Amino acid sequence: MNATEQLPGVGDEVTEDGTRAIVTDIRQGVVWLRAPGRDEWPAADPRRLKVTRTRRERIAAGDA
């Protein structure tokens, strides 16, 4: 990860291995995700998560 990249934050929409999810929490450095119809799970590698929309963008779109 370079200096301009950041890990996703709580409320960001991300994709992990093709699954779209929301970052629900970050506990002791572990990023937790949730998707419709699925229990919360820890991200396998937070550096591989791709942010599709930030929390701010989701709020502006009325999705948060």
Side-chain angles (χ1 to χ4, degrees), residues 38-49:
R38 192 172 167 186
D39 288 335
E40 191 175 49
W41 75 95
D45 182 355
R47 296 169 296 179
R48 295 185 60 202
L49 295 173

